Amino acid sequence: MRLLHASCPSYPQLWIQLCRSVVLATSGKWVNAHSSLEHDISAGNSDGDMAINYGDDHEDMISTTYNAQGRGSFLDIQRIDVKNDKHLRYRTRVFAAECLSHIPAAVGFDPAHFDLTLARERHFKDSSDWLVLHMQELVALAFQVSTCQFENMQPMGVSILCTVLDKFEKTLDPEVQGHLLMEQYQAQFVSAVRTALDVNSSPLLLEAGLQLAAKILTSGILRGDHVALQRIFHLISRPLDDFEDIYYPSFAEWVACKIKVRLLAAHASVKSYTFRYLRRDPECLPSEYAALIPAFSKSSTILGRYWMSMLNDYIHICFGIQSMTNFKPFLVGVQSSLVSSVVKPSLDEAWPAVLQAVTLDSVPLHTEVDGSEAGEVSTSENYLSGYSMVKLASDQFNLIWGFGLFVLFFHGQSNDPKQNPKIFSSFKNCDSGNKGDTRTGVQDLKPYEIALIAILSLSTKEFYYSGMVSLDLSKELGQARAGTAYGRETTPCGGSKQYGSISAAAEEHSSVDV
C-alpha cells in the first residue's frame, strides 16, 4: 500500500490498469481486452475522451481512457506477465480490488484529480496524468467487480462505487452546463444498486447496496429522472415490510444490525436531503423529490418508531451503558461490547441524518392540526412540507431534546477533537474537497448544526401548547448556546420563517394560558 500511495498521485491510470488486469483476469478475456486496448491506442483515442456507455449492464461495460505518450500509459502494463492469469489466487484478486478502492484517496488532494476542466488544461501542457481523465474506466471497473462471479467480492465493488461518488459527487461536467460529471454514469450506479438490493443478495452485498442507494439519492445525479429515483426509493422501501424479520443465523449478530442501521439511515438521508431544499427555497425543490413527501408522511409512524429506537441504542452505546440489565436494545446483540464496537461506526455515520429526520415537521402525539388527524395534509404554515410527520411522545421528545443539548454544548467547548466526547470521533465533515454546492447533503453539516436544526424543529407552537417545551427548557437551550464557541444569530442553512428565535417562542408560550 505504501507504493500505491507514493506513486498513485502521478500514475493513477497505471494503477487502475494494473488492478483491472488482476481483478478481471480470466482465461482468454484478458487477452481480448488487451488487444482491444491496443487497437484503441493505434486509433489515437488518447486525450482522455469521456465517452458515455449507456448500453446493457454486463461485464464488458468498460471504456478505457489512456495516453500512449503520457506517464503511466497502458504500454507500461504490457510488460506484466499474466500467462497464468486463470490460476490467479482468489486472495490476489481481493487484494487488487482493495488497492482499487484506495485509488480515489491515494491520488491526494490536488484539485486537478477532481476537476475535469483543470485536468485537461494541465494534461495539454505537460501530458500529466489525472484521475478524473479515467473516470469512465474507474466506474466501469468498479461496476464489473460489483457484478463479478465471486460473491464475496461484489460488496467491494459496490463500496468502490460509494467511494467514487463521495470523491466526485460535486464535480461539474464542463460539457453540459449545470450538470454533474457523475450523471454520465447513472446507468452503472443504478444497475449496481438494483443488483445489490435484490431479494437474493447476500447480507454483505445488501448492506453495501443500501449505503450506495442513499448516496445516489442524495447526490443529485438522478436530477430530473423521476423513474430512476422512484425505482431506487422503492428498492429501499421494500425491506421495511419485513424489518422485524431481518436476521441471518449463519452470520454474526452485527451483520443484521448494520443492515438495519443502513436501511434506516437511507430513509433518513433522503428525507433530510428533501427538507434541505424546503428550508432554503421551496421553489427549488425538484419535482421528483417533492413527489416523495407524501410517502414520508405515510411511513412516518413506523419509521419514527424505528428511528427513535435506534437513537436510544446509540446513546446507550456512546455512554457505555448498553450492558445494563434493564436495557432492552432495538438492535439485537449490541449489549455485547464486541457487537457494539462493530456496529458503532455505522451508527456514527447514521445519527446526524436520523436526528434530523425524526424531528423535521414532527408533532406531539395525539395532536390534531386544523381539525384533522396529524399525518394528513395540513394547510398550516408551521409545516415546511405541508404534512405532519413523526408523532413524538413526551419521553421521546425529552430524549431528543437532551441529546441535542448534549451535542450542542460539548461540541462547542473545543476545536480540539481530543477534548470532545467519543460521540464525535467518527463524524466527518466534507469541508475539504471539491467545490460546488456543498450545502445539499447531510454529511456537510457539523454536529452542532445538526443538533440545532433538531432542537429548532421541536420548538414549534404545537410542542409549546402540548406542554413539552417550557420556559425553563428554553433557558437551558440559551445557556448551552451561550457556552459554545459557535453561537450564531442566524439559523444554519438559511433558516426559515418556521424557526423563530427560541426566546421569542418562549415569551409567546409564557403568555398563553395552556
Side-chain angles (χ1 to χ4, degrees), residues 96-128:
E98 291 177 351
C99 290
L100 182 66
S101 67
H102 285 279
I103 289 178
V107 294
F109 300 100
D110 194 314
H113 280 297
F114 310 101
D115 187 321
L116 185 56
T117 301
L118 181 59
R120 286 173 173 174
E121 292 177 356
R122 293 192 182 180
H123 178 76
F124 179 77
K125 291 181 180 179
D126 54 14
S127 298
S128 54

Side-chain angles (χ1 to χ4, degrees), residues 127-161:
S127 298
S128 54
D129 195 16
W130 306 102
L131 181 60
V132 71
L133 297 177
H134 314 290
M135 187 51 52
Q136 176 74 23
E137 185 174 3
L138 179 61
V139 171
L141 179 55
F143 172 79
Q144 287 181 287
V145 176
S146 71
T147 56
C148 69
Q149 59 181 329
F150 301 106
E151 182 176 308
N152 291 335
M153 286 182 60
Q154 293 173 358
M156 300 181 64
V158 177
S159 296
I160 295 172
L161 290 174

